[in-house]
Amino acid sequence: MRGRDLINNGLPDELILEIFQRLDSKPTRDACSLVCKRWLSLERFSRTTLRIGASFSPDTIVTLLSRRFLHITSIHVDERLSLALPPPPPPLKRKRGSNKSSSSSSSPSSSKRQKLSNKTRSGGAENAESCSLTDAGVIALANGFPRIENLSLIWCPNVSSFGLRSLAQICTSLRSLDLQGCFVGDQGLSAVGKFCKHLEELNLRFCEGLTDVGVIDLVLGCAKSLKSIGVAASAKVTDLSLEAVGSHCKLLEVLFLDSECIHDKGVVAVVKGCRRLKSLKLQCVNVTDAAFSVVGDFCVSLEMLALYSFQQFTDKGMKSIGKGCKNLKDLTLSDCYFVSCDGLEAIAHGCKELTRIEINGCHNIGTRGLEAVGKSCPRLTELYLLYCQRIGNSALYQIGKGCKSLETLHLVDCAGIGDTAMCSIAKGCRNLKKLHIRRCYEADNLHILFSMVGNKGVIAIGKNCKSLTELSLRFCDKVGDAALVAVGKGCSFLQQLNVSGCHLIGDVGITAIAKGCPQLTHLDISVLQKVGDASLSELGDGCPMLKDLVLSHCHYVTDNGLNHLVNKCKLLETSHMVYCPGITSAGVATVVSSCSHIKKVLIEKWKVSERTIRRAGSILSYLCMDL
């Protein structure tokens, strides 16, 4: 019946709340809150998470939000994130004969937004200072959300021990606390240990004001609940803190350490005392093989091990881990220069449950080590090889033969890997979903670099890996149109494609992708000199779900091709198009006016008209200098 609201009359509040709770997208929830006053009230009632970035005054925003949302349990304040207020609406034109007072007045909400926008745009040191959360804001947060359980205060330099102590006294139900980059002291951390007896997760990375005193007080207070601790770049936190953790935190499962002040003594204390340890991330230059010998003996439940920049960790430590940590599933080795094939072989033979391996800059690990992984780790699903110059084609042949469940493969600057390896992966790992290759070159006698991965390997991927959703071939200069034709024919589920710097690719290849991959959402064709308007026209017709487009340095793309694409791709959110001589201010205006979802446009400043700036200044980004 016309004029009757069947939904609101038929659905109770409980059912609408249940629907709102199943919406995992914030824009969708925001859109629902605009339907009517009832939905606005219910959406506020059901929301449990808030995210706050750098704004004109976080303290004021916290106070306002506490009045609107009454059931918040998680708050994330991250001052690395920008929060752009929407531009004020243009003044309404007064109709002839209308009342002057009514036309000049505006709604309270729009006048508030105008004031906030003016504050945001005002410069100076005072405005910069107001963009940071202070102790007053933390106290307002505690008073407004006393039942909060998860709190992140990331890079909030003006939050001190005073604010943290006030928070701890009120928010006694805290279970997760992230203080990364906050200059809080021992008194604040001691208060957290005294009042927050349910704390399970604590991140103290880059908290430079802390010492062993504050950490030990917190550990003693939260010993019965603490499960995860992260400490980095805190010069005054030493082995004493870790000894306290090992003695009291019997439930600890996750430990992250990045410090030059930690030695074997501290790590051993945690390993011996915390038998439930499952995840261990370490970047400690003074920790040696002796500590990892104890890890192998005591950490039988260890599932994730990540080691960064170790200078005293060798194959001996790797053998201890392989011998004792039979449940290891995730291994990361980054810049561990003294680990060789022998160490990786020991891990592969002992840890047969491995599902993820990342090797980054370990120059002594070669083909033999990875062959052992292929032979012994059949459950491997993710493999990342970065700057591994000694790993050759036969290693990936063994991976393709033994790791049938592989879904993700990343190769960066691996000079020994080429088409032969890609063919082996394609034939053996037919469930591959993500393939990223960047600059896999080899040098000839004249030190001229040649790409090892070309058409043959990518064609094999296109023919065999039907489930591929992400493909990145950055600067693979032997990959041409024939490769993309094969991908377009065989990989209909492809969502992300990056062929930046593949200068042999032209309109033929991109057209094949447009016709064969209708689910494409992200495309990077920057630095392709053979791509022109024909490609953009086909993309507009074949890829209506496109959201992100990067076409910088494409000299043959013009306003005409761009116009055809944006008229069809209505979901476009970001567009990078710098150094495209064929794109003018008219093309920029077309993108801004045609794409209602556009969030970011990267372009040279001199190509943007005053009208476009007035219309969409908040979404425009410019190069750091005009060239």
Side-chain angles (χ1 to χ4, degrees), residues 340-350 368-369 372:
S340 70
C341 292
D342 292 338
L344 189 57
E345 275 186 320
I347 291 287
H349 293 155
R368 179 165 55 90

Side-chain angles (χ1 to χ4, degrees), residues 246-421:
S247 299
H248 299 90
C249 300
K250 302 302 180 181
L251 300 180
L252 193 72
E253 297 179 356
V254 179
L255 177 65
F256 174 83
L257 296 175
D258 179 0
S259 174
E260 298 180 357
C261 302
I262 302 298
H263 301 79
D264 287 346
K265 183 179 179 181
V267 175
V268 168
V270 173
V271 168
K272 287 185 175 180
C274 307
R275 299 297 182 89
R276 297 190 181 186
L277 204 62
K278 294 181 179 180
S279 179
L280 189 59
K281 292 184 179 181
L282 300 176
Q283 185 169 349
C284 306
V285 295
N286 291 314
V287 174
T288 70
D289 286 334
F292 290 100
S293 177
V294 180
V295 171
D297 291 337
F298 288 88
C299 294
V300 294
S301 300
L302 195 67
E303 296 180 359
M304 197 278 285
L305 177 64
L307 306 177
Y308 304 90
S309 302
F310 270 78
Q311 299 177 7
Q312 302 181 61
F313 177 64
T314 67
D315 291 335
K316 182 180 178 181
M318 291 280 282
K319 291 176 181 178
S320 299
I321 294 168
K323 184 179 179 180
C325 304
K326 302 296 183 181
N327 294 315
L328 192 66
K329 296 179 180 179
D330 188 334
L331 174 66
T332 297
L333 299 174
S334 179
D335 296 328
C336 296
Y337 303 121
F338 299 102
V339 174
S340 70
C341 292
D342 292 338
L344 189 57
E345 275 186 320
I347 291 287
H349 293 155
C351 308
K352 298 181 182 297
E353 301 295 322
L354 276 171
T355 60
R356 181 187 182 277
I357 294 178
E358 178 178 340
I359 302 174
N360 184 350
C362 300
H363 303 308
N364 287 319
I365 294 180
T367 300
R368 179 165 55 90
L370 200 61
E371 284 178 341
V373 172
K375 293 176 181 178
S376 303
C377 304
R379 291 183 173 84
L380 193 70
T381 59
E382 298 180 40
L383 178 61
Y384 301 81
L385 302 176
L386 296 84
Y387 312 103
C388 297
Q389 306 295 333
R390 297 189 178 185
I391 294 179
N393 288 326
S394 60
L396 288 194
Y397 167 79
Q398 198 62 52
I399 293 291
K401 185 178 178 181
C403 304
K404 302 295 184 181
S405 301
L406 192 71
E407 296 182 354
T408 301
L409 177 61
H410 281 233
L411 304 173
V412 177
D413 284 3
C414 296
I417 295 176
D419 281 339
T420 303

Side-chain angles (χ1 to χ4, degrees), residues 3 8 28 46 247 258-259 299 315 338 380 413 436 461 463 509 561 563 573 593 597:
N8 272 326
T28 303
S46 66
S247 299
D258 179 0
S259 174
C299 294
D315 291 335
F338 299 102
L380 193 70
D413 284 3
H436 292 239
I461 293 291
K463 289 182 178 180
N563 181 57
E573 295 180 357
S593 61
H597 294 83

Side-chain angles (χ1 to χ4, degrees), residues 14 24 47 49 154 158 177 184 187 300 321 437 477 519 532 590 592:
E14 293 79 11
D24 54 0
R47 188 167 298 213
T49 302
I154 301 179
N158 291 334
L177 180 60
V184 294
Q187 294 180 350
V300 294
I321 294 168
I437 304 174
D477 54 13
Q519 299 184 31
T590 300
V592 170

Side-chain angles (χ1 to χ4, degrees), residues 24-314:
D24 54 0
S25 169
K26 181 181 180 300
T28 303
R29 295 177 66 97
D30 291 342
C32 289
S33 68
L34 298 177
V35 170
C36 61
K37 290 184 177 180
R38 181 191 181 200
W39 284 29
L40 175 63
S41 176
L42 290 175
E43 198 282 326
R44 290 178 176 177
F45 184 85
S46 66
R47 188 167 298 213
T48 59
T49 302
L50 292 177
R51 296 184 181 276
I52 304 172
S55 60
F56 81 98
S57 178
D59 296 351
T60 305
I61 282 188
V62 167
T63 303
L64 293 175
L65 292 176
S66 65
R67 298 172 184 170
R68 295 188 178 187
F69 304 101
L70 304 178
H71 294 83
I72 297 298
T73 58
S74 300
I75 296 180
H76 306 275
V77 183
D78 190 344
E79 298 196 355
R80 299 172 300 180
L81 305 177
S82 60
L83 179 65
L85 291 169
L92 297 175
K93 294 184 178 179
R94 188 175 59 187
K95 294 183 179 180
R96 186 173 297 174
S98 62
N99 188 359
K100 182 176 180 180
S101 61
S102 63
S103 64
S104 60
S105 63
S106 58
S107 66
S109 61
S110 58
S111 63
K112 285 181 181 179
R113 187 162 56 247
Q114 178 70 52
K115 291 179 181 179
L116 298 185
S117 182
N118 291 339
K119 275 190 176 184
T120 305
R121 290 176 175 82
S122 62
E126 181 179 353
N127 185 56
E129 181 70 18
S130 67
C131 288
S132 184
L133 188 72
T134 66
D135 288 338
V138 173
I139 295 173
L141 184 149
N143 291 326
F145 306 101
R147 292 187 297 273
I148 190 174
E149 296 180 359
N150 306 303
L151 176 62
S152 296
L153 301 176
I154 301 179
W155 295 108
C156 300
N158 291 334
V159 174
S160 68
S161 290
F162 176 76
L164 187 59
R165 180 178 179 83
S166 302
L167 174 81
Q169 289 176 337
I170 299 173
C171 303
T172 56
S173 300
L174 270 178
R175 294 184 179 275
S176 176
L177 180 60
D178 189 343
L179 298 174
Q180 178 174 324
C182 295
F183 200 82
V184 294
D186 293 334
Q187 294 180 350
L189 210 58
S190 298
V192 172
K194 181 179 180 181
F195 297 104
C196 303
K197 298 298 183 180
H198 303 287
L199 192 67
E200 297 179 359
E201 300 178 5
L202 178 65
N203 184 7
L204 300 175
R205 298 176 64 190
F206 307 107
C207 295
E208 298 179 357
L210 294 179
T211 70
D212 287 327
V213 175
V215 176
I216 292 174
D217 286 347
L218 181 137
V219 166
L220 294 177
C222 305
K224 294 182 179 181
S225 61
L226 209 55
K227 295 181 179 180
S228 175
I229 298 177
V231 178
S234 298
K236 296 182 180 180
V237 176
T238 67
D239 293 332
L240 291 176
S241 294
L242 294 190
E243 289 176 345
V245 171
S247 299
H248 299 90
C249 300
K250 302 302 180 181
L251 300 180
L252 193 72
E253 297 179 356
V254 179
L255 177 65
F256 174 83
L257 296 175
D258 179 0
S259 174
E260 298 180 357
C261 302
I262 302 298
H263 301 79
D264 287 346
K265 183 179 179 181
V267 175
V268 168
V270 173
V271 168
K272 287 185 175 180
C274 307
R275 299 297 182 89
R276 297 190 181 186
L277 204 62
K278 294 181 179 180
S279 179
L280 189 59
K281 292 184 179 181
L282 300 176
Q283 185 169 349
C284 306
V285 295
N286 291 314
V287 174
T288 70
D289 286 334
F292 290 100
S293 177
V294 180
V295 171
D297 291 337
F298 288 88
C299 294
V300 294
S301 300
L302 195 67
E303 296 180 359
M304 197 278 285
L305 177 64
L307 306 177
Y308 304 90
S309 302
F310 270 78
Q311 299 177 7
Q312 302 181 61
F313 177 64
T314 67

